Each structure stands twice: as structure tokens, then as C-alpha cells.
Amino acid sequence: MLAAAKSFAGRWLFQLRDSEPGEVVLTRRRVFILPTRPGMAFCGLLLLMLIGAINYNLGLGFALTFFTGSCAIADMVMTARNLAQLRLAPGRSMPVFAGENAQFELRLRNPTTRDRFAIWLGFQRDGEPLLATDVAAGSDSAVQLSTPAKERGWCAAPRVRLATRFPLGLFGAWSYWQPDLKVLVYPYPEQNAPPLPTTGAASEEGHGQVGLDNFAGIRSYQPGDPMRHLAWRQIARHDPAHGGQLVTKHFEGGATAELTLDFDALPASIGLELRLSRMTAWVLAAEQRGLPYAFRIGDQRYPAALGEAHQAACLRALALYGKEAA
Amino acid sequence: MNTAAIGERLAKRLTRDKADTLLLLAGALLVIAPHFAHLPVWTSATAIVTLLWRAAITWRGTRMPPVSLLLPVALMAMGGVYLSFGTILGRDPGVAMLALLLAFKLLEMHARRDLYVVCFLSFFLMLTNFFYSQSILTALGMVVTIIVLLTAQITFQYTGTVPPLKARLRTAAKLFFIASPLAAVLFIAFPRIQGPLWGLPGDARGGRTGISETMSPGSMSSLAQSGAVAFRVRFEDAVPPQQLLYWRGIVLSQYDGRTWTRIGRTVFTRGERAPKLTMQLRGQPVRHQVTMEPSGRRYLFTLELGAPDFYIPGHRVISTDELESQTIRPIEDRIRYDATAYPDYRVQAALELEEQNKWLQLPRGANPRALALGGALRDAANGDGARVAQAVLQMFREKGFTYTLEPPLLERNAVDGFLFDTRQGFCEHFAGAFVVLMRAAGIPARVVTGYQGGEMNPVDGFLTVRQSDAHAWGEIWLPNRGWVRVDPTAAVSPERIRSSLSRALPDTAPFGLQGLLDLQNDRDSWLSRLRYNIHALNNAWNQWVLDYNAERQRNFLQELSATLSSWRTVAALLSLAALAWLFRLLRARVRRDPVEAAYQSLRLQLQKLGMQLPPDAGPHTLAQRLDGVELPEEKKQAMKALLELYGALKYRAMDEDERTRSAKRLAELLTLAR
């Protein structure tokens, strides 16, 4: 109930919008202003000074009170003007992996002839903004706000709160902006993922296949590793009862092997997200080692290739798999 | 970022904090310094040492003293205030405490919150300075201090680059001047309450000088000459000649052989005049307005013979049988009142014998020679008061009496001593001796004290009456004529009455330079003109800033509304506003880049022709798209040339000369393309 009221108040009073595409002008109506704590204290001080001036009939006391009071009012106007007429635009956004911080670039443009100082930015839900920037007259400024990306898929920028107390700090002006900005979040790449599967990997015979002949060492077993890759000799040395672990032989594939990363070939038993994570890890590994790879997931098929665009397309497919393409 | 860069940033940050704090210290010093004049010496010294200590800490970047050290010091300072003043309550101890508090707070500044505390304390301490001085210079100092404090406050708000001090001072000054019109309107229109809201502490006002209720000729060997202003007068009509400017104040009637005092309180309030006091006022009334400096006493001074005929806010005015005017409360603020004087008057033309006795009283046994002289004079004149007075004045004129501000001291029978031995004195001696002689001759007489003369300032037309213009004269009662003013000093030193005190005395040249004296006395010398201008400025300041009270506010606002309701004023204001608006419009037009304007104009034209113009299409793209548009060939060519030239102007390096030529050509092409 309270939450609903609060949300209604936010929407009605602060004119919160869902999303605002393109450049947004912070019109006067969108800038809100209230005295800060020092501002309230200053108000008390003014009252005290006024009483003193009346009681002792100090002509200059009246003058001082009215001048400082008017300075506070001028400060209010200047604080509001520090935000008003500021133009906001979403900047570029780079995809990130889940678990990383999604970076949102915001561009602030100041078309007026006065410099703007000390504009604080942050996401509304994070409370008081922590990042400050200046925007000189007639110029631009770009800031990066980040928020943790927990889930793969599209991560939309949360509502941005802009605030300023410049010049005197007696008033705080603020405004909200919902930038039309989202960051693609790739699935989290599996740590210690099994080696890249090659075409031979599906064969029953196992050993001796092209690309699997370079034994590169052993690593700990991960669900989904083929049984025939288990390093039995090493496993036998350690009694599982005494802390022994299953280990898998790790092969470095030959350069000639044709690498196909097929999502559907992964056992469904290990779960969707883990499969996506593994595919992600594999895409990264293949890119890193320079192995051209074909890619298949659902209806999407990409012929074997290499390079940033290919990688981006594959990762994008993984990120959005099963989600509404936005 | 590597460590070196972080270190560099940190160093930069530190120097910035240093500069910011020093600025704040400068602001605090500006606030505290004016108080040094009236704070106890040790307080000023402590404040200075504390500020220096804080500056050293800032300069060297050392740590601030811990609270365990500051607290005892602060408590000791409080004890010191108690020892100095005998109390910690009241105005002066309060100011001393505030000054110390501000100084100590600077040593205990850790968070941003403390910065505001320092700034706000400074503002309040600035206000307390006005207890002691409200001169124009103080006001200028106030403006400077406000701007420095605002600069300090602004400085702490920057988060990124901090502009140089000059730019920040400019920002603060801009803020201040944006605020000024509103401040002025508030000053004029904010309802003024006639103070005080509660009882003022006893020491709220400093001691004032003024005319005293007693007069003891001969007990002082020298008259303290004070140039302090007693009151200022503005005449509604013609200014009476100098020798008629008698400012009546206190009437002294009781004499004990040494000291003149006022008679017992025969006070009545306005409207219930005692029936015995009959007045006939004739001739042209002299209307004048007196602005009186605070005297700490209750007497009002008006031109003889008149009484304040106006309501004085915050005061009740009463009059006495002796034609004195006084307020019930001592005058602690500058007050202003109107008065109407009649130079031609007849007061108490008929005085009953019983009443006359009051003015004939003389101490028994004192001044036997004067009493004898008085009796002899009466006999010689057959009891005609006017002739007795003439005889006394003649004696003063002819028997070697001299006017001096440094007369010898007199023994017990002061009047005898003065009349027959020393024969040197100033107005008190002459007036006192005259009245004694008159009473000895059986003529009712009394001493009137007040001021005589004044200095007319040709700049603003205000007459300034100073404490040094204080004067005493006599008043005798004659049958059928009532009370008549007789000024025995005028008989001895007519100069004193005709011009002013400084003329009546032999001149002593300052620094022994005759030239300086001439400069000082010449009403037309540049020095005098400068002095008059400064006085006029000070007077205007007093009238409009310091004494802007409820009454003056009401009058001013009434006048303003009367002015505003005339259609001429409204029309003038409206046309001024229109002019300002036009000026703004013109300036905005000039500020627009003509090259950009030409391009925008062309774009607008193309849009009207139905061309699609995406925002990202540059001049080159537009030129290409022109091919598909139905247009006369020469227009098209002009447009293309314009677009090409625009691109060149915008993106190619050009020297100033070429740029001007191209811009000109661009304008030509635009007319061709239309």
C-alpha cells in the first residue's frame, strides 16, 4: 500500500517516465529544489539576525540580513539553473559478462553560455549520487555509471538521479532521467570449462583422433566431461576415500581440426545456464587460441569463422537464448 | 592509475585545500578585525594567535590540535571573559565570546558541516559589529566581507577543477549583485517594527554627550569642545538668520550660589496646558524638521519658540510650563520630529505675583556684591526691567569682559568673582551672572540652555548643530511682554552669535600653518566643499539607511505609490522595459554566428521544398541530394556553392582574411539561392 502510494507520488510529483529515447532536455519543470540541512540552518540564522536587527534597531543589521537572505535566494535560482536546460543523451554501451559491472555512458551537453559545476550523478536506487562532473559552457561531458550485471540478457539502465548544490550548498536541486540505454550481458563464462570439443569428440573410438593427440595435462573433473577422458591412472593414485578427486585428461586440439560449438550437443542434464556458460567459455577459448569455430544454438547457425564480429554474434545469441529478443 | 599519478593528484588536492582554508581564514579575519577596537586586548590577541596558529597548521599541513587541548583553552577563554566583564551575559561579553568561538572553531574544523558553521558564525559576528559602528565605511567593509565569505563557501563546493581565485571572487560578486535588487526591495518594503522587542541590556548603547540638567559656571576651567553632531535640521521654508537660531532645551531656574538646576516638576502633557500659561504666537511660522542624534537624555530641542508638533514613534512627548519639550524615555535612537517655531511670541504676558516669586529666588548670603549691584541698578532704572537689562549688557560690553573657553576657576561666590575679579568666561558665566543680577534687581529671570547657531551645509541644505554649539542665555519677564530672551554673551562676543563658536575665538593655526587655517575657515575652499559633501553623504546615510523606521517607511511607500499611480511614470517604466527587451533581442541576434545562420536558413528552405533532412546529413550529403530536386538550375548551383563554402568554412583551416571574405560570399550566395 505504502509502496504503491510512494510509486504514485514519484510518478505524479517527480514526473518519472519509463523511458525517454534520444536527447532529453532538463526543463525547468523537471528540476526540483529543496533547502539542504545547512540551508535550513541558514534560515534560522537569518531569523536570528532579523530579530537582532529589530531589537537593537540596527539599520545596517537589516541591510546585512536582507543581503545575505537575498544571496540565499539568488543561490536557489543559480542552483536550479545549474541543472535546468542541461541536455542529456545516452552514450555508447559495451556488452559485459554476467557478474561484471555494466557500464552506462551518459552524455551531458551544456548548450548555454555559463559553466556548470559539481553535478552529481548516480542511479536513483543507489541513494545519494557519488559521481560528480563539470560541464563547461557550450561543451559536452561524458560519465560512466556502473551497476552490477547479475543476469545474462539485456540490462536496462536504472533511473538516473542528477543532483547539484552549487554554488552555495544551501539548496539541493535534483532531477530524474530514465535513459533509453541498455547493455547486453553475456552469460558468465564457465571457469575451468572442459576443453574445446572437436568434431572427433563425438566419435566412440576416442583416442588417436586428429586434434586430440596433444595431451596437455590434467585438470579436475567437471560434469559433462566424456568418461573416456578420465585420467584413470591419476585417479587410482589417490584413494577417493582419502580426498582423491576425479581428474580429466586435457588435450590441446590440433589446428586443423574443425571446431563446431553446438549447444544442442551438450547434455541437457547439466542445466541450461551452465550449458550457456560453457558455450561462452568455449567461444572465448576458441577466439583466444585463434581456432575458427562454427556455432549452433537453436535455429541460429554461424559457419566457422573467427574475429570480433563473429564472437559478438555468438555471444549475443547465447545471451539472448530463450529470452525475448529486445 | 599508477602510484605516481595518485601522489600527484593528492598533492594537488592538498594545495587546493590549503588555498581554500586560507581564504576562509581571510574571511574570518575580516569579520573579527573590526571588533579589535572594542574587545579587551587579550581577546584580540587570543583571536589573532589562534588565526595565526590555524594558518601555520594549514601552511605546514600538520595535524590540528586534539579536543583535549582545545577544550581547556576554550574554558579558560570563557573564564577570561567573565573576569574582564564581571559577567558572561550582555552585549560586550557576548561579542567577545562569539569572536573567540569563531577563532577556536577554525581549529576544530573537520567536516564540511564545520565549514558552514564557520561561515554562519562569521555572518552573525558581522552583525554584532553594528552595535559599535554603522558608518558608510563599515557598510563597505560589510559588502567586501560578504563577498569573501561567499567565495569561501563557493570554493568548498567544487568537485572537479577549481577556477582561479579571481574567477571565484567574480562568481561570488555576481551572486551578490544578482541578490542586491531584491535586498534593496526587502530593505524598503519589509515591515519595520518599532523596536525593541524586549528590554535592552544596560550596555546596549554607549555613553552619549549632551546638554546637562545642571550648570555650574566657574567649576570647570575649560569647556570640552566636542564636534559630535547634536542634531540636524531641515527647514521647510526660508532659513532664519544665524543670530536667530536659538535652540531651546532646558530651563534652569534654581540657584544655590554655585549650581543652576531645573525647577521642580511642573509637568503637564500635551492638550492639558495649565490655564495660566498664555501664549500669543504671531508672524511667519518657521517649519523645520529635526533629526536628533541619540543623547541618552530626554530633552528635545526646537527653534525658539516652538514645540514639536508631531508624533514621534515610540515616544511620548510632554511639555513643561517653562516651554521645555521632553520625552518620557531617554532618547537612545536617532529620532526625527517636526516643529513649528514663531519668532514673534508673547508668553505669559500676565504673571501673578506669587508666580513671579518663583523666578526671583536667590540664595541667601551668597554673592553679596552682585546683590548690591542688582539693587543699585534697579534704583537707577526705576524698576524698569528692560532698562536694567540694558545696563547689565552695557556693563558686559564696556567693563573689560572677555569671552574665552578657558576661564579661570572661581571660588565660593562665583558670580561675584566673575563680575568683579576675573571677568573672563563663556556663555554659562555670562548667562548665570546676568540672571543673578536681574533677580537681585527684582526682575523675574531664568537661564535657558540649548544650542545656538549651527552650520548650514550648502550641499544638502541641512543645518548641522554640534555639541560645541551648546549655549546658555537668559530670559527675563517684563510686564505685558512676557518672557523675553536676552543673550548677554552676544553683548560681549557678537561674533559667537552671528557666525559660530570657532569664529568667536582667536584662531590657532593647525601645525602653525596659516594656510591650513584659511583653508579650514574659507567656506568656498576645496577642503570645505569636500567636508560639506562628506557631511551631506553621512546625513543622507543616516536619514535613509540607519533611520529607516516604520514612519519613514510609511511615508516613503505612500510617496512611491502616489508616483506610480501617475500614468506618466507607468508609461516611462513600460517603455524602459520594452527597451530592455529589445536590447536583449538584438544582442541575441548579434551573438548568433552568421555562417551558421545562413546554413540553417538554407536548410529551412530545403525543408519547405519537401526534402527529407535527417539530422545527421551534412552539407556534402545535402549537396548530393539536391540533384533530385526540381529547382531552377542557377538556384541549385548557388545552393551547392553555398553548401561547399559552408563545409570549407566549417572544417578547413583558413586565415582570418579568407574567413571574412568567405563569410561575405556566403551571404551573397544565400540571397541568390532564395
Side-chain angles (χ1 to χ4, degrees):
Chain A
M1 182 64 185
L2 191 70
K6 222 171 155 182
S7 138
F8 173 77
R11 273 172 190 284
W12 175 76
L13 187 62
F14 299 124
Q15 304 165 48
L16 300 181
R17 292 137 219 239
D18 283 336
S19 169
E20 301 165 83
E23 195 178 67
V24 164
V25 183
L26 284 188
T27 54
R28 238 159 237 279
R29 289 202 50 198
R30 296 182 56 160
V31 177
F32 310 99
I33 191 158
L34 273 182
T36 57
R37 213 184 279 218
M40 307 264 208
F42 191 72
C43 189
L45 173 81
L46 284 176
L47 204 65
L48 215 63
M49 281 165 59
L50 186 66
I51 290 173
I54 291 175
N55 199 43
Y56 291 95
N57 196 13
L58 300 172
L60 270 192
F62 280 110
L64 177 67
T65 310
F66 293 142
F67 267 103
T68 45
S70 303
C71 281
I73 290 176
D75 172 56
M76 180 174 79
V77 174
M78 282 172 100
T79 304
R81 282 212 316 184
N82 204 29
L83 275 191
Q85 297 308 319
L86 193 66
R87 280 151 199 264
L88 309 169
R92 286 166 304 166
S93 63
M94 301 295 283
V96 292
F97 292 98
E100 291 181 346
N101 277 334
Q103 301 277 345
F104 296 97
E105 191 190 59
L106 307 174
R107 306 197 65 83
L108 283 71
R109 198 156 72 78
N110 177 7
T112 57
T113 51
R114 53 176 192 276
D115 296 336
R116 295 163 193 266
F117 293 100
I119 293 171
W120 294 82
L121 293 126
F123 292 122
Q124 186 194 354
R125 60 170 186 218
D126 297 345
E128 282 303 301
L130 293 172
L131 199 90
T133 185
D134 299 337
V135 196
S139 75
D140 292 37
S141 163
V143 288
Q144 298 266 350
L145 289 182
S146 68
T147 181
K150 294 193 185 85
E151 240 180 274
R152 70 183 171 87
W154 285 110
C155 173
R159 181 168 291 122
V160 175
R161 181 187 158 101
L162 297 102
T164 186
R165 294 180 160 200
F166 192 83
L168 286 185
L170 301 178
F171 287 89
W174 75 96
S175 187
Y176 297 106
W177 170 41
Q178 176 60 68
D180 185 25
L181 188 59
K182 49 194 180 175
V183 162
L184 188 59
V185 183
Y186 299 145
Y188 177 73
E190 189 185 15
Q191 298 293 300
N192 298 322
L196 291 169
T198 59
T199 40
S203 147
E204 285 300 310
E205 304 309 316
H207 287 279
Q209 290 290 331
V210 186
L212 265 183
D213 43 7
N214 303 329
F215 176 69
I218 58 169
R219 56 172 180 75
S220 58
Y221 171 82
Q222 288 180 332
D225 281 347
M227 287 296 273
R228 49 194 176 73
H229 283 179
L230 286 179
W232 292 113
R233 215 172 295 162
Q234 276 77 11
I235 292 166
R237 272 195 218 138
H238 305 282
D239 187 350
H242 296 97
Q245 285 187 323
L246 292 178
V247 284
T248 312
K249 281 186 268 187
H250 182 197
F251 299 94
E252 298 280 300
T256 52
E258 188 190 305
L259 187 55
T260 302
L261 302 176
D262 188 352
F263 180 76
D264 300 320
L266 283 170
S269 60
I270 61 173
L272 174 66
E273 293 303 322
L274 183 56
R275 277 184 288 162
L276 288 169
S277 281
R278 181 160 304 168
M279 287 289 280
T280 306
W282 278 344
V283 167
L284 293 179
E287 279 288 338
Q288 197 191 357
R289 286 163 51 188
L291 298 177
Y293 54 97
F295 184 87
R296 276 185 219 158
I297 183 165
D299 324 332
Q300 300 189 50
R301 282 148 201 276
Y302 300 108
L306 206 55
E308 246 175 69
H310 183 56
Q311 178 189 334
C314 298
L315 290 177
R316 181 188 170 92
L318 288 168
L320 298 178
Y321 181 73
K323 303 216 170 203
E324 281 294 308
Chain B
M1 195 182 296
N2 57 20
T3 348
I6 291 176
E8 198 185 314
R9 263 189 76 169
L10 205 65
K12 219 176 187 172
R13 174 87 201 161
L14 268 180
T15 48
R16 186 192 141 189
D17 275 355
K18 248 184 212 178
D20 294 0
T21 310
L22 288 179
L23 185 67
L24 192 64
L25 283 178
L29 185 67
L30 276 178
V31 171
I32 296 182
H35 284 283
F36 290 160
H38 45 80
L39 282 180
V41 176
W42 71 268
T43 319
S44 311
T46 311
I48 290 179
V49 167
T50 310
L51 286 180
L52 283 178
W53 186 11
R54 184 64 176 89
I57 287 174
T58 313
W59 194 255
R60 293 212 219 108
T62 44
R63 284 175 67 91
M64 301 249 251
V67 178
S68 55
L69 178 64
L70 273 178
L71 199 65
V73 171
L75 285 176
M76 265 166 62
M78 272 178 76
V81 170
Y82 183 77
L83 284 181
S84 283
F85 294 95
T87 171
I88 51 166
L89 299 173
R91 189 191 67 177
D92 289 339
V95 170
M97 294 273 249
L98 269 178
L100 289 172
L101 183 64
L102 174 61
F104 289 140
K105 184 68 201 172
L106 283 166
L107 277 178
E108 198 271 322
M109 234 176 57
H110 299 287
R112 182 172 288 248
R113 195 174 59 86
D114 296 325
L115 165 89
Y116 287 112
V117 172
V118 168
C119 279
F120 296 173
L121 255 180
S122 300
F123 279 124
F124 197 76
L125 199 59
M126 216 190 316
L127 181 90
T128 60
N129 185 35
F130 303 146
F131 291 140
Y132 308 100
S133 164
Q134 296 200 65
S135 67
I136 300 177
L137 270 181
T138 311
L140 289 179
M142 174 186 92
V143 172
V144 171
T145 312
I146 290 179
I147 291 178
V148 170
L149 285 175
L150 288 179
T151 310
Q153 211 173 324
I154 290 173
T155 299
F156 282 85
Q157 297 289 336
Y158 287 101
T159 52
T161 49
V162 181
L165 181 64
K166 220 167 135 188
R168 277 176 284 146
L169 277 172
R170 209 179 304 129
T171 309
K174 196 174 134 197
L175 185 81
F176 183 82
F177 286 111
I178 288 176
S180 321
L182 179 63
V185 169
L186 276 175
F187 188 88
I188 291 168
F190 188 87
R192 290 300 173 89
I193 300 158
Q194 199 63 41
L197 298 177
W198 60 84
L200 292 174
D203 63 346
R205 311 280 174 199
R208 315 272 192 207
T209 55
I211 283 194
S212 134
E213 280 184 31
T214 62
M215 182 180 101
S216 319
S219 63
M220 267 191 317
S221 68
S222 124
L223 178 67
Q225 279 196 71
S226 162
V229 174
F231 50 88
R232 291 186 171 90
V233 187
R234 193 162 53 88
F235 289 95
E236 303 277 319
D237 320 301
V239 182
Q242 189 82 17
Q243 60 267 28
L244 286 184
L245 294 177
Y246 281 87
W247 305 98
R248 190 186 185 90
I250 309 168
V251 175
L252 306 173
S253 319
Q254 236 151 7
Y255 188 52
D256 64 357
R258 181 150 203 87
T259 306
W260 288 90
T261 45
R262 293 183 67 228
I263 207 161
R265 308 270 172 268
T266 52
V267 163
F268 62 92
T269 51
R270 284 177 67 77
E272 32 180 292
R273 281 194 184 286
K276 280 174 196 157
L277 184 63
T278 51
M279 288 174 80
Q280 273 180 285
L281 303 171
R282 281 176 306 202
Q284 198 66 31
V286 181
R287 284 176 298 160
H288 56 286
Q289 186 184 53
V290 180
T291 306
M292 198 173 142
E293 297 293 310
S295 62
R297 299 175 200 278
R298 305 185 298 136
Y299 294 97
L300 302 175
F301 298 89
T302 56
L303 193 62
E304 218 164 53
L305 188 65
D309 54 2
F310 207 80
Y311 159 77
I312 305 173
H315 285 285
R316 238 182 90 204
V317 181
I318 54 176
S319 307
T320 65
D321 268 345
E322 290 79 36
L323 297 167
E324 300 161 304
S325 297
Q326 50 182 297
T327 56
I328 297 209
R329 275 195 300 109
I331 299 159
E332 301 287 13
D333 294 304
R334 198 176 281 116
I335 58 167
R336 196 178 293 116
Y337 50 89
D338 292 313
T340 310
Y342 293 85
D344 190 4
Y345 55 86
R346 191 169 285 209
V347 177
Q348 283 181 318
L351 199 61
E352 286 178 25
L353 212 61
E354 182 194 337
E355 279 287 307
Q356 290 183 15
N357 279 335
K358 216 160 60 174
W359 316 109
L360 288 169
Q361 166 268 337
L362 276 176
R364 232 163 255 170
N367 300 314
R369 295 167 75 188
L371 296 188
L373 177 62
L377 286 171
R378 178 189 52 193
D379 295 343
N382 280 333
D384 182 349
R387 278 174 60 195
V388 177
Q390 278 306 319
V392 174
L393 293 184
Q394 196 174 354
M395 179 183 80
F396 283 153
R397 252 194 310 267
E398 294 168 357
K399 292 279 169 62
F401 284 87
T402 47
Y403 182 84
T404 171
L405 292 184
E406 292 178 352
L409 281 173
L410 292 168
E411 295 300 313
R412 223 187 116 253
N413 287 322
V415 176
D416 275 4
F418 169 68
L419 283 176
F420 301 106
D421 301 329
T422 65
R423 300 191 179 189
Q424 289 180 35
F426 45 83
C427 55
E428 289 189 355
H429 301 80
F430 288 102
F434 173 76
V435 172
V436 167
L437 284 175
M438 295 308 284
R439 287 187 176 185
I443 299 148
R446 56 195 186 190
V447 177
V448 182
T449 60
Y451 297 87
Q452 202 283 319
E455 188 182 16
M456 175 54 71
N457 187 338
V459 176
D460 59 359
F462 273 82
L463 182 89
T464 306
V465 178
R466 295 169 192 284
Q467 295 299 349
S468 56
D469 291 323
H471 192 51
W473 58 93
E475 215 169 33
I476 55 171
W477 184 84
L478 300 177
N480 298 323
R481 281 203 50 200
W483 289 102
V484 175
R485 180 176 66 224
V486 181
D487 187 353
T489 313
V492 183
S493 175
E495 281 290 309
R496 165 69 184 84
I497 309 305
R498 263 206 301 276
S499 51
S500 71
L501 185 59
S502 59
R503 290 290 180 86
L505 297 168
D507 289 332
T508 45
F511 310 113
L513 294 174
Q514 189 57 39
L516 276 182
L517 187 73
D518 294 343
L519 213 56
Q520 198 179 313
N521 286 341
D522 183 4
R523 280 174 66 94
D524 289 328
S525 75
W526 60 267
L527 192 68
S528 295
R529 278 202 301 274
L530 185 69
R531 211 159 49 88
Y532 285 135
N533 275 302
I534 290 172
H535 286 169
L537 188 66
N538 253 322
N539 184 33
W541 176 255
N542 289 340
Q543 301 273 343
W544 284 104
V545 177
L546 304 187
D547 301 340
Y548 189 75
N549 54 20
E551 178 209 352
R552 179 144 275 219
Q553 180 175 43
R554 198 174 49 241
N555 290 346
F556 178 74
L557 291 182
Q558 263 167 13
E559 233 169 81
L560 192 72
S561 72
T563 315
L564 280 184
S565 54
S566 91
W567 66 269
R568 273 169 213 276
T569 321
V570 173
L573 283 178
L574 277 179
S575 44
L576 259 179
L579 265 177
W581 179 71
L582 256 175
F583 181 71
R584 245 181 100 97
L585 210 71
L586 274 175
R587 252 185 51 174
R589 179 155 295 180
V590 169
R591 229 184 299 163
R592 245 175 79 186
D593 184 6
V595 173
E596 205 57 49
Y599 179 60
Q600 290 305 333
S601 155
L602 181 70
R603 274 182 70 109
L604 213 68
Q605 196 182 348
L606 292 179
Q607 214 154 25
K608 275 187 193 150
L609 288 170
M611 236 170 98
Q612 290 295 317
L613 302 171
D616 57 337
H620 190 67
T621 324
L622 289 187
Q624 279 176 343
R625 290 201 187 175
L626 267 177
D627 292 330
V629 186
E630 278 292 321
L631 263 179
E633 195 52 39
E634 68 271 13
K635 260 195 184 182
K636 214 181 260 186
Q637 286 310 320
M639 283 177 181
K640 277 187 177 177
L642 193 153
L643 288 168
E644 196 185 336
L645 197 58
Y646 171 77
L649 268 165
K650 200 86 179 149
Y651 304 111
R652 225 179 64 203
M654 279 187 199
D655 59 33
E656 206 48 49
D657 209 30
E658 193 182 354
R659 189 161 286 277
T660 340
R661 250 184 298 122
S662 305
K664 215 167 168 190
R665 172 84 185 125
L666 197 72
E668 287 168 17
L669 284 171
L670 188 68
T671 41
L672 280 178
R674 286 241 167 88

